Amino acid sequence: MSADRATTETAGLMDRMYRHQRHIYDASRKFYLLGRDQLIAELDPPPAGSILEIGCGTGRNLIKLARTYPDTQCYGLDVSAEMLATAGRSVARSGLSERIHLAQADATCFDAAALFGRDGFDRIVISYALSMIPPWRGVIAQALRTLTATGSLHIVDFGDQRGLPASFRVLLNRWLTLFHVTPRHDLPEAIAELSRIEGAESRTRRLLRGYAIHAVATRRAA
């Protein structure tokens, strides 16, 4: 299967899934997409910096990022046109259209210069998106390649759940399967390996007894 066909099929799946869900997405996901606001609070972009969110969905995180860091320019990409339509309306209502820029693209092979007129970003955020993208390692690799020389990649997603009761893990994973979500249990190993390849240093920490994982990869100073 060609990359273009795979991207088209993925976009179609996401559009079908979220055509109706997008209207209640933020209200429902706040109860179980945990750790997003902590990631945003710890982002610490440089003055007048740039922030990209990969898999920006409804734009919820982008709006919070723009408000938290008012001297930054924020960018978001998503493969789903339906989600981007919702994000565009939310950004317009927030009055942040001059600072938040959206584009439709494949997270594994996007061209930042063509989409946004930038060669790289000071901070890249991926929030609960890797667990929905089959070639998720390719997303991490592309994000690392798109950082500025001193930039950092910040990821939060479902963790290995090792510290949670077995009955809860069973119910959680059944629920996630309904939405084509697969926790990436080997995320710590994958980001460590990919970071070494791309000249970055990584660290990970488990949140809420393994319910979620927070990973950061930072470019090494030259």
Side-chain angles (χ1 to χ4, degrees), residues 39-208:
L39 180 152
I40 291 171
E42 296 175 359
L43 205 60
D44 191 27
S50 57
I51 304 172
L52 168 69
E53 181 176 19
I54 295 175
C56 64
T58 62
R60 180 263 189 195
N61 292 338
L62 284 170
I63 292 170
K64 190 171 184 66
L65 283 162
R67 288 173 172 165
T68 303
Y69 304 108
D71 64 342
T72 61
Q73 288 292 314
C74 298
Y75 304 82
L77 64 85
D78 204 289
V79 76
S80 170
E82 296 284 353
M83 284 298 231
L84 286 171
T86 296
R89 288 192 289 272
S90 296
V91 169
R93 285 196 301 270
S94 73
L96 293 166
S97 297
E98 292 186 359
R99 291 184 46 230
I100 298 178
H101 317 276
L102 304 171
Q104 185 176 17
D106 182 337
T108 65
C109 59
F110 61 91
D111 183 336
L115 293 173
F116 301 118
R118 301 191 65 96
D119 293 326
F121 302 89
D122 298 303
R123 300 289 184 270
I124 296 181
V125 171
I126 310 177
S127 171
Y128 287 94
L130 294 179
S131 52
M132 299 193 67
I133 303 174
W136 59 276
R137 291 177 179 81
V139 178
I140 295 175
Q142 177 66 9
L144 289 168
R145 289 192 293 266
T146 314
L147 291 171
T148 59
T150 57
S152 56
L153 166 64
H154 301 253
I155 298 168
V156 65
D157 214 312
F158 293 104
D160 59 22
Q161 307 161 25
R162 284 183 295 175
L164 299 173
S167 57
F168 180 84
R169 295 201 305 267
V170 170
L171 291 173
L172 174 61
N173 284 286
R174 285 178 180 171
W175 171 256
L176 296 179
T177 298
L178 295 175
F179 299 98
H180 303 275
V181 174
T182 304
R184 309 305 182 189
H185 294 168
D186 55 339
L187 175 58
E189 294 79 12
I191 195 167
E193 177 185 358
L194 292 166
S195 294
R196 286 194 297 270
I197 293 171
E198 298 297 333
E201 297 177 347
S202 69
R203 65 183 188 275
T204 58
R205 74 177 189 265
R206 298 166 71 240
L207 306 176
L208 304 167

Side-chain angles (χ1 to χ4, degrees), residues 2-38:
S2 69
D4 288 344
R5 181 180 174 186
T7 298
T8 299
E9 291 187 358
T10 300
L13 173 63
M14 293 297 102
D15 282 345
R16 290 191 297 274
M17 185 185 308
Y18 290 119
R19 182 165 288 119
H20 303 295
Q21 284 189 49
R22 61 196 171 103
H23 301 296
I24 59 169
Y25 186 93
D26 290 334
S28 62
R29 267 53 176 187
K30 69 180 180 180
F31 297 109
Y32 64 91
L33 298 188
L34 307 178
R36 296 180 297 172
D37 291 344
Q38 181 179 351

